[in-house]
Amino acid sequence: MEEKKPRGRPTLPPEVGQTALIRERVTPAQRAEYEARGGKAWLVQALARKPRQKKGGEA
């Protein structure tokens, strides 16, 4: 007999799936700046960047 495929969308790998929620209280001005910078897309890109090393060799 033929094996049935699971219904629905395939499961994403853990490193790709977005399952965490971030909620912070900010002022309306901070919210406007967040949206002006690109909102969620900007935040994801900023978090993915590697931190810059400080001058002098110490992190």
Side-chain angles (χ1 to χ4, degrees):
M1 210 169 198
E2 197 174 316
E3 192 174 319
K4 287 188 174 184
K5 292 171 80 176
R7 295 181 71 183
R9 293 181 68 174
T11 306
L12 293 173
E15 64 275 2
V16 178
Q18 297 177 354
T19 58
L21 175 67
I22 298 174
R23 286 185 56 159
E24 296 293 332
R25 288 196 173 273
V26 296
T27 66
Q30 290 169 327
R31 174 64 189 236
E33 183 176 347
Y34 169 77
E35 293 298 335
R37 289 178 182 237
K40 176 187 165 193
W42 167 78
L43 179 61
V44 169
Q45 184 181 19
L47 293 174
R49 269 184 286 191
K50 293 182 180 176
R52 292 189 232 163
Q53 291 221 341
K54 294 181 180 179
K55 291 182 180 180
E58 302 245 352

